[in-house]
Amino acid sequence: MKDILLITPPFTQLNTPYPASAYLKGFLNTKSISCFQMDLGIEVILELFSKKGLTTIFCHIERSRDAISTNSQRIISLQHDYINTIDAVIQFLQGKNQTLARQICSGNFLPEASRFDQLDDMEWAFGSMGMQDKAKHLATLYLEDLSDFIVECVDENFGFSRYAERLGRSANSFDEMYAHLQNELTYIDKITLKILKERLYQIQPKLVCISVPFPGNLYSAFRCAQYIKNHFPTIKIAMGGGFPNTELRDLKDKRVFEFFDFITLDDGELPIELLISHVLNSPPLEGLGEAKRTFLIENNQVVYKNNTTRSDYKQSQVGTPDYSDLLLDKYISVIEIANPMHSLWSDGRWNKLTMAHGCYWGKCTFCDISLDYIKLYEPIAAKILVDRMEEMIAQTGENGFHFVDEAAPPALMRELALEILRRKLTVTWWTNIRFEKSFTRDLCLLLKASGCIAVSGGLEVASDRLLELIKKGVTVEQVAQVTQNFTESGIMVHAYLMYGYPTQTVQETIDSLEMVRQLFELGVIQSGFWHQFAMTAHSPVGMFPEEFGVIPEQNVITFANNDIQFKDKTAIDHDKFSFGLKKSLFNFMHGICFDYDLQEWFDFKIPKTTINPDYIRDCLLANHDQFNTKPSAKIIWIGGMPETEVFTKSKKGNAWEMMKLTFHDKRETFEISLEKDKAEWFITTLELLQVSNDKTQTFAQVKTDFEMYFDDFELFWYSKPINSLRDFGLLTL
């Protein structure tokens, strides 16, 4: 029994828990408040995609051959093959039955429907050694076939990472959602509520907190709340999370509170702490006294209560995310397309952490920069971050981390990497960034050495005019150079791409596509995704539309308010570019079709690109930063100490002592030779520069020390022998 139950409703991710409840549970631990958390989404998926679940589904469907598609008829005909293979496939995708990969790859194990029609070239995509990934991809197609079948024949609202998403998107009025909640339970509802009922009897909570991160969780959140109200009327129910934080700030409809007692906004720690205190300690009929950013009903009216004098907790005070109670060994890793970078979102179990609250840049005009989750920037000290990483590794047994920042700060990434290396931790991590010039070649090498495998960042529109209008703070040239630094250091890059930004012309859309084509062809970006611009209520474009040449459609807001329909004064139909942009990108991500004329991706006439075919190549050739070292730059050595051998060198009757330094790294052995006295100074200096030292040396300090004994430090530092060590761990940061 626990007084508090934290729920993530269906559906978010298959491969790893959405972290909101783990963050809250970690905070509650610091207050000695006990709670239980559950991810209803993965539990519903596991019940649905099981031998028992599929058997029930097929029995549920009447065999009406003329009422369903040919594809669904095929799946019904193969139902016994699906029923007999599903448990083994799920176990394989959970990492428990790896030998099944050979059967899956044999081509005669999985039943195949329409998702297999456009199968990637398996040999190209996975090679002869990629059997596990190849099998995951095939098993993913198999699950997607079943998903298509469920959508057509069982529940049209189903999706692996969302449920009834349409009802939560831009729902200015609660009417449609309210009407759906009066309908009979759907097939997915029944499974969801059966699991919820069992857990409520087991935990017997007094307060249920439902985190709603996305529109695709909203309907299920209301269904769960409705069930609790009807069958467990003494339990109080609160909603929080990303959806209410962005969409429910103008809430007025009283009917919402037929389902929820409280709705909290922004950082959840203090609001939840105050609600818990109220629910557990107040007399049953007493109203909510002290509150932080909380909607509720008082005197039959919706009120927003923010009357506490207490401040939100600092990030150093919120504790370490706690993943206990969640079914960590039951999550399902899938590979939707054969692209190593793209698969990170769906393949593997990642511990989620945040380096900093908010965004250190906080200027992009399409972003919700007026809301606390963006505008209140607060970094967390690297030592605290790595302490939390070590705690989570001990708890979960997983050493993979996804830092879910809005944009991770480069300086903090550097300190994090140094701390990881000092503690000799073996971790794998990735995060979201801005493609800014701070990401030098040397910083990227340091990040790679600490375990960073990938970054994702917003290129948005590959047009310098539009990037300036967006206030992105980068140029296309800068993005190209930074992505080259990451790629050459062995870190994969994913680019978020945008089209349809206000005032964007057709020519700029085509030129942006050409820039993207060149970036992929030159191999400096490995993955990407095109998003059509959406105007949100809390972004500068949404708040000041006249400054961006757009005319918003004004609606009465009583429920959700985020996405705003608008008309662009250019009157361009950006929707028509969607298919061509996404199809071309899909091919670029597979390393093909770079020689296609851009016109081939569209079934309507487009203008020729105005971009020079070598534009990105020229940008990369200009990427030189190694001789512009600031005096305050930190010098770090992440390699090992060399073996030494003294020898004599002679020329024209003169002889002098030299020293050969032999270095060994994980892949090769390399040598440099220096004059003996300079070599001895250099070895002593390398010991001071080692990453294991807490005290770092600056370029100015190293230069001053050198010039106590020798002349012309720059001639020595930028000489060929020393310069060759840059590739092996002599880094300037």
Side-chain angles (χ1 to χ4, degrees), residues 51 119 182 256 472 525 541 552 578 584 590 648 672 728:
K51 189 169 188 176
L119 198 58
Q182 312 313 312
V256 171
K472 193 69 185 176
I525 288 178
V541 181
S578 177
S584 59
H590 287 76
T648 302
I672 64 170
F728 298 99

Side-chain angles (χ1 to χ4, degrees), residues 115-179:
R115 291 285 183 152
F116 286 79
D117 292 347
Q118 296 185 356
L119 198 58
D120 289 318
D121 181 337
M122 290 284 105
E123 281 306 306
W124 174 87
F126 300 104
S128 57
M129 296 302 292
M131 184 176 291
Q132 293 293 323
D133 282 353
K134 178 179 174 181
K136 277 185 189 176
H137 181 54
L138 293 169
T140 303
L141 297 176
Y142 161 93
L143 290 182
E144 288 176 337
D145 274 333
L146 286 170
S147 174
D148 293 342
F149 176 71
I150 290 169
V151 169
E152 181 182 348
C153 301
V154 182
D155 192 334
E156 64 180 3
N157 292 312
F158 178 74
F160 279 121
S161 59
R162 60 189 63 84
Y163 186 71
E165 183 178 50
R166 182 186 59 79
L167 294 175
R169 281 203 173 278
S170 302
N172 297 154
S173 166
F174 190 53
D175 290 348
E176 188 177 9
M177 176 70 79
Y178 192 76

Side-chain angles (χ1 to χ4, degrees), residues 320-323 328 349-353 385-401 403 420 423-429 450:
T320 301
D322 182 349
Y323 283 88
L328 296 183
R349 238 280 304 137
W350 302 100
N351 295 319
K352 308 275 183 131
L353 266 178
L385 280 173
V386 182
D387 286 345
R388 291 177 180 176
M389 292 173 77
E390 290 185 317
E391 285 182 55
M392 293 171 76
I393 291 169
Q395 183 194 76
T396 68
E398 300 281 355
N399 66 351
F401 289 85
F403 289 94
I420 289 170
R423 299 196 196 185
K424 296 181 170 59
L425 278 186
T426 300
V427 293
T428 302
W429 62 276
S450 73

Side-chain angles (χ1 to χ4, degrees), residues 29 41 72 93 242 395 672:
N29 289 343
S72 290
L93 293 175
Q395 183 194 76
I672 64 170

Side-chain angles (χ1 to χ4, degrees), residues 88-121:
V89 169
I90 292 296
Q91 284 186 332
F92 168 71
L93 293 175
Q94 290 171 334
K96 300 173 184 172
N97 188 14
Q98 298 302 287
T99 55
L100 191 70
R102 297 179 181 276
Q103 279 243 65
I104 292 173
C105 293
S106 71
N108 196 31
F109 178 73
L110 298 177
E112 299 179 6
S114 62
R115 291 285 183 152
F116 286 79
D117 292 347
Q118 296 185 356
L119 198 58
D120 289 318
D121 181 337

Side-chain angles (χ1 to χ4, degrees), residues 26-27 30-31 269 311-320 378 384 388:
F27 165 72
T30 70
K31 300 295 175 182
E269 290 85 5
S311 299
D312 281 301
Y313 287 94
K314 297 292 184 184
Q315 292 302 298
S316 59
Q317 301 172 310
V318 298
T320 301
E378 184 192 346
I384 293 176
R388 291 177 180 176

Side-chain angles (χ1 to χ4, degrees), residues 651-667:
K651 187 175 183 181
K652 295 183 179 180
N654 295 318
W656 64 96
E657 286 189 311
M658 299 284 291
M659 184 178 288
K660 182 171 71 174
L661 308 182
T662 303
F663 295 86
H664 303 276
D665 75 359
K666 292 174 184 175
R667 292 186 297 179

